[in-house]
Amino acid sequence: MAKKVLIVDDDLYIRELYEEVLKDAGFDVNTASDGQEGIDKMKDGGYDLILLDVMMPKVDGLGVLKQMGEMQPKAPNGKVILLTNLSHDPVIQQALDTGAASFMIKADLTPDQLIDKVNSFLK
């Protein structure tokens, strides 16, 4: 059975690119265009991995992480990996302290690296 990945990012280009790359690699992919939509999908749960953007409208990545800590999803969710373009941002440390497992710098990722990193987070 394919691993289920949720991509929460307000950038349409990134969302569609990551979705296509991961689907082509055999993953079952869902997407959300903002933090609130991501929270709504996380409540159903069952995601093996969640790729979460930091800066989004409605609810930002930190807000999503805080709400995740308080929710009881219908099925457990796996690790949350932060997506950001800011490698030295204090928000990254805050997110790691709030429950994110790791982070990826979007600007540095090639499609092959995305697949490799997703696979490594799922092990």
Side-chain angles (χ1 to χ4, degrees):
M1 189 166 162
K3 295 287 186 180
K4 196 170 174 185
V5 178
L6 175 62
I7 302 166
V8 185
D9 197 312
D10 63 319
D11 183 320
L12 179 63
Y13 174 76
I14 292 286
R15 212 170 48 247
E16 288 180 343
L17 174 67
Y18 288 9
E19 179 180 21
E20 182 178 339
V21 167
L22 292 174
K23 280 185 175 178
D24 287 349
F27 294 96
D28 177 5
V29 181
N30 282 326
T31 63
S33 60
D34 61 55
Q36 186 57 56
E37 184 182 355
I39 289 165
D40 293 342
K41 291 186 178 196
M42 289 173 207
K43 286 179 183 174
D44 287 334
Y47 293 103
D48 297 295
L49 188 68
I50 297 168
L51 302 179
L52 177 65
D53 187 20
V54 175
M55 299 177 74
M56 293 182 291
K58 296 186 182 175
V59 182
D60 67 7
L62 283 175
V64 171
L65 283 167
K66 288 174 185 163
Q67 288 193 41
M68 281 184 74
E70 299 164 4
M71 76 171 67
Q72 297 292 326
K74 293 177 186 170
N77 288 309
K79 293 178 183 172
V80 176
I81 307 302
L82 218 57
L83 297 173
T84 182
N85 278 321
L86 311 168
S87 59
H88 299 292
D89 193 315
V91 170
I92 293 173
Q93 189 56 53
Q94 254 186 297
L96 294 171
D97 293 344
T98 309
S102 188
F103 68 95
M104 294 189 292
I105 307 299
K106 290 190 270 189
D108 295 346
L109 280 179
T110 65
D112 287 342
Q113 289 171 325
L114 174 65
I115 294 166
D116 289 346
K117 285 191 173 279
V118 165
N119 280 321
S120 73
F121 290 130
L122 288 167
K123 288 187 176 159

